[in-house]
Amino acid sequence: MTKNPLNKPAQSQPSAAEQVAALLFASQPDLLPPSHYEKLYPPRLLPKGAMVTRFAPSPTGLMHIGGVYMSLINKRLADQSGGVFFLRLEDTDNERYHADAVNTIIQALTQVNLLPHEGVVGVDKGQALQKGSYGTYVQSERVPIYHTFVRELIAKGLAYPCFLTMEELDETRAKQTLSKQRPGCYGKWAKWRDAAPEKVQEKLAQKTKYVVRLKAPGSYDKRLTWHDEIKGDISVPENDVDAVLIKSDGLPTYHFAHAVDDHLMRTTHVVRGDEWLASVPLHLQLFQAFGWQPPKYAHVGPIEKLEAQPDGHNSRRKLSKRKDPEANIQFYFQKGFPVEAVLEYLTHLIASSFEDWRRQNPAKSLADFAINFKQFSPHGALSDFDKLSSISKDIIADLDAETLYKRALQWALEWDQSLAELMKKHETLTKRALNIERGGERRSKRIATWQDLRSQLFFIYDELFNDLPVFPFPERISTLDRNAIIAAFLKDYQTSWEKQQMLDYAKDMALKQGYAPNGKTFDKDPKAYKGHFGDVMMVIRVAICGARESPDLWEVMQVLGVERVKKRLQQSLG
Ligand code: GLU
């Protein structure tokens, strides 16, 4: 029995379209029929309402914060509904491929705890590690599948080989521009639409390069209406452009591969960046051509930032991989934002209601916050570092000193080795310092990133304190008056002082030396005083910490110990 790839009764004459399909795939007699794949990848047995979602990155060498955002959204939707979240590698665009890119993606998803349930779940010796029965999940390994399905479309007369050369396409574009017509291969420009099999055969014999195009069934003067889960009802002209499905190198375009893959992988919801919104009319035509139920589409606006314009007003633009360091997820980890802060921040960008929810549920896990499409703004979310810092401060405030030490050290080992050395050398001192204003009601919100540790706590380390180039004493206090404050404090300092006793002493000393008891009194008659109580405390703080800001001074002094405190006071007498 001879092979009959088109499953037609042997006696009937093949149609012109079938002949073209047979000609194009003559060298691939082993291509399996579509039914093979339909059986191999049956509908998933999942509870009603379970969402099958995916993250489908093109490996480009960097994990954009937007990629983490999309993964978070897709994974949460799947988790919440008892569904599946998989990762498909869209690596059919050779020009954009980077060898380490998969590693970068997997490493980032591991860092943010968003590894997929299925698909590409890891990398081993440079190879993608895959899990799940709907694979392979690497598009470059699925070429025979795309060929099977495109052959099917060609045989049905719904797609065709197009032999237009680059020059011809350029010429078409020039003519269209000149006559103010829409660009693209449609209508009379689509010269190879209904070419006879003989013509195709002739070109193939000449080894002319070709692409496969969809025979777009739409008319531009009719409208297509569909519902996007985020953008709402959308109505646009039908697509009449014969989009490329298979490129001249035999690889599929995104459009075609996405339709075939999301059908065979039984994706229920395609949740992706809204740069693809304009392609939906084409994508729906692809599903229709195959007679498949399309997935639900949800197009997410990008994360944007404000940019000052020359005329003074701010305009929004997408975070750019080239221009904005914060577009790279590693930027956040390098700065030392805890991973849970980044995830809460991204959740805040998804749904502004998250802030209220968090306030009402401070102890709940982030996973308890349910997301849904209604919460999304149809426009992009605005990147907001103040928000990220404030979320991060809240999260760090709740960590105990031990955990804080461990996590900050882990960060410092990677990003600030000299700080890591000091933290290890002075482990007990560091933990005691980290414990200041921590626990119970006292929630210090000074630390937004692990990096802040250096600026917030450097003075606990003599090695850093002794190297300080300047001591920022308050300017209005003369050296003489400053010395008088420090000398008095040094003479009277009692290790047994409780915090209030120290403050009472300092206030008394301030009054005796001619300072106002507070800023208000001072402001009423500045000439009558050398300064006010705040200046006196500031002098002592700067002498001991080398900084105008520090955690509670009395507690810092307990941590530093009496010897160190006295030595520093002594040294600062200038
Ligand atoms: N590979 C596409 C991209 O990186 C994926 C879009 C999608 O999620 O379908 O933009």
Side-chain angles (χ1 to χ4, degrees), residues 54 56-58 88 90 96 254 258 270-272 275-276:
R54 83 291 190 281
S58 303
R88 178 173 70 230
E90 305 211 322
R96 290 162 72 198
Y254 164 72
H258 131 67
V270 169
V271 184
R272 62 185 175 187
E275 67 272 26
W276 297 111

Side-chain angles (χ1 to χ4, degrees), residues 252-526:
T253 55
Y254 164 72
H255 307 296
F256 187 61
H258 131 67
V260 171
D261 291 348
D262 281 321
H263 169 69
L264 292 179
M265 294 175 185
R266 310 294 170 181
T267 306
T268 62
H269 292 74
V270 169
V271 184
R272 62 185 175 187
D274 66 1
E275 67 272 26
W276 297 111
L277 187 65
S279 306
V280 174
L282 163 63
H283 296 170
L284 291 176
Q285 284 174 342
L286 287 167
F287 280 91
Q288 191 192 350
F290 284 114
W292 297 333
Q293 168 78 33
K296 290 208 155 89
Y297 283 104
H299 288 89
V300 181
I303 302 179
E304 297 178 320
K305 74 184 284 185
L306 287 177
E307 191 169 60
Q309 297 302 303
D311 68 2
H313 89 283
N314 280 329
S315 73
R316 287 170 79 124
R317 69 162 172 78
K318 216 168 149 166
L319 279 185
S320 142
K321 189 161 90 170
R322 272 176 299 110
K323 286 198 251 173
D324 307 310
E326 71 268 34
N328 186 345
I329 187 66
Q330 294 310 328
F331 172 86
Y332 300 81
F333 298 132
Q334 183 169 352
K335 283 252 173 264
F337 284 106
V339 93
E340 56 271 46
V342 174
L343 291 175
E344 293 229 345
Y345 165 65
L346 291 177
T347 308
H348 164 82
L349 294 187
I350 296 170
S352 50
S353 58
F354 173 68
E355 201 169 344
D356 277 344
W357 180 88
R358 179 44 93 211
R359 214 172 291 126
Q360 283 153 21
N361 303 282
K364 281 204 174 162
S365 142
L366 180 59
D368 292 331
F369 178 74
I371 65 169
N372 63 63
F373 292 126
K374 286 198 195 79
Q375 297 157 326
F376 285 75
S377 146
H379 320 290
L382 207 52
S383 154
D384 180 351
F385 268 87
D386 291 340
K387 189 73 214 166
L388 171 60
S389 289
S390 113
I391 290 174
S392 193
K393 282 177 181 169
D394 267 333
I395 287 175
I396 294 180
D398 283 342
L399 299 180
D400 58 55
E402 195 67 38
T403 311
L404 181 52
Y405 175 83
K406 233 191 273 159
R407 296 195 52 186
L409 178 61
Q410 202 180 4
W411 174 86
L413 284 168
E414 191 173 357
W415 299 107
D416 188 348
Q417 278 88 6
S418 67
L419 179 67
E421 284 312 310
L422 291 167
M423 291 178 77
K424 282 194 288 183
K425 185 169 159 200
H426 306 290
E427 184 175 334
T428 313
L429 178 74
T430 309
K431 284 182 186 168
R432 289 187 61 206
L434 290 175
N435 204 33
I436 297 176
E437 297 170 352
R438 194 160 294 277
E441 287 303 292
R442 306 174 314 159
R443 293 172 81 244
S444 162
K445 292 203 189 165
R446 292 172 186 284
I447 302 176
T449 65
W450 312 132
Q451 196 177 49
D452 284 351
L453 244 53
R454 186 177 266 281
S455 60
Q456 292 292 326
L457 282 182
F458 72 92
F459 48 80
I460 63 164
Y461 305 118
D462 286 337
E463 292 89 333
L464 299 182
F465 181 86
N466 292 338
D467 270 355
L468 273 183
V470 277
F471 280 70
F473 286 112
E475 290 84 9
R476 67 169 158 234
I477 313 294
S478 70
T479 311
L480 203 68
D481 290 341
R482 190 173 86 208
N483 282 343
I485 293 170
I486 297 171
F489 192 84
L490 185 59
K491 181 165 74 60
D492 299 327
Y493 176 55
Q494 301 289 319
T495 44
S496 60
W497 274 347
E498 286 301 326
K499 182 171 165 181
Q500 196 52 48
Q501 284 174 295
M502 180 181 93
L503 292 175
D504 291 345
Y505 163 80
K507 185 153 264 172
D508 190 46
M509 183 250 283
L511 298 182
K512 276 190 192 139
Q513 293 201 13
Y515 294 85
N518 50 48
K520 220 164 145 196
T521 315
F522 173 75
D523 288 342
K524 272 193 211 140
D525 190 2

Side-chain angles (χ1 to χ4, degrees), residues 81 113 142 262 281 312 327 336 352 557:
S81 61
N113 301 321
R142 298 173 62 79
D262 281 321
S352 50
M557 287 163 68

Side-chain angles (χ1 to χ4, degrees), residues 44-56:
R44 292 171 186 263
L45 294 171
L46 290 169
K48 201 166 173 282
M51 293 167 79
V52 179
T53 61
R54 83 291 190 281
F55 175 46

